[in-house]
DNA sequence: TACATGACTATCC
DNA sequence: GGGATAGCCATGT
């Protein structure tokens, strides 16, 4: 496990239930632009329950691939149950459900 | 070391 | 609003 992944997992695990974050925000929190690398870190996520990767969406509110192309549509319903409104693989009130990291900088 | 890949983002049409 | 293109960074071969 790389230190980069640790940072990603650490941040994602900080996202409270009913909230979501974006790859871009994570990038900001990590002070990097490795959005894709973040996605990859999550896809090889060894700590599935610890790291709620289903709470990470794309910057435009789209769910991305973790529950879209992949057969994980159940996670979408889980988000809805947690309070996040989802409409056709996309977060409805992104601004409302968006969790912003208060990172030092 | 160099090239290819991807759960992305921003921009242009 | 939707599709195509280019730029990004971390990983794996």
């Amino acid at each position: 496990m790389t230190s980069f992944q640790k940072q990603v997992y650490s941040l994602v695990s900080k996202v409270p239930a009913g909230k979501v974050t974006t790859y871009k925000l994570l990038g900001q929190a990590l002070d990097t632009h490795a959005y894709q690398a973040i996605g990859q870190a999550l896809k090889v996520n060894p700590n599935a329950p610890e790291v709620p990767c289903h709470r990470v969406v794309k910057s435009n509110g789209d769910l991305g691939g973790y529950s879209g192309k992949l057969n994980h549509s159940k996670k979408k319903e889980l988000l809805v149950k947690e309070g996040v409104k989802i409409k056709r693989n996309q977060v409805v009130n992104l601004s409302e459900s968006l969790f912003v990291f208060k990172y030092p900088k």
Side-chain angles (χ1 to χ4, degrees), chain A residues 1-99:
Chain A
M1 151 123 38
T2 69
S3 66
F4 176 76
Q5 295 177 344
K6 286 185 186 175
Q7 298 177 79
V8 176
Y9 301 145
S10 177
L11 285 172
V12 177
S13 61
K14 283 176 183 160
V15 180
K19 289 277 193 176
V20 297
T21 187
T22 69
Y23 294 95
K24 189 168 81 172
L25 258 359
L26 287 172
Q28 288 181 158
L30 295 179
D31 196 35
T32 180
H33 294 107
Y35 311 123
Q36 294 188 290
I38 293 172
Q40 283 188 113
L42 292 179
K43 93 173 184 180
V44 298
N45 177 9
N47 324 337
E50 307 295 317
V51 182
C53 44
H54 58 276
R55 293 188 194 141
V56 184
V57 300
K58 303 206 299 186
S59 66
N60 66 336
D62 219 62
L63 292 191
Y66 70 86
S67 64
K69 289 192 169 189
L70 304 185
N71 206 339
H72 299 176
S73 305
K74 297 293 182 183
K75 309 221 167 175
K76 176 179 61 177
E77 300 180 16
L78 176 58
L79 283 174
V80 176
K81 195 167 65 173
E82 290 182 343
V84 183
K85 303 303 180 203
I86 307 292
K87 187 73 171 183
R88 296 199 318 276
N89 283 348
Q90 186 169 282
V91 178
V92 179
N93 303 317
L94 184 59
S95 312
E96 304 273 326
S97 308
L98 188 60
F99 174 74

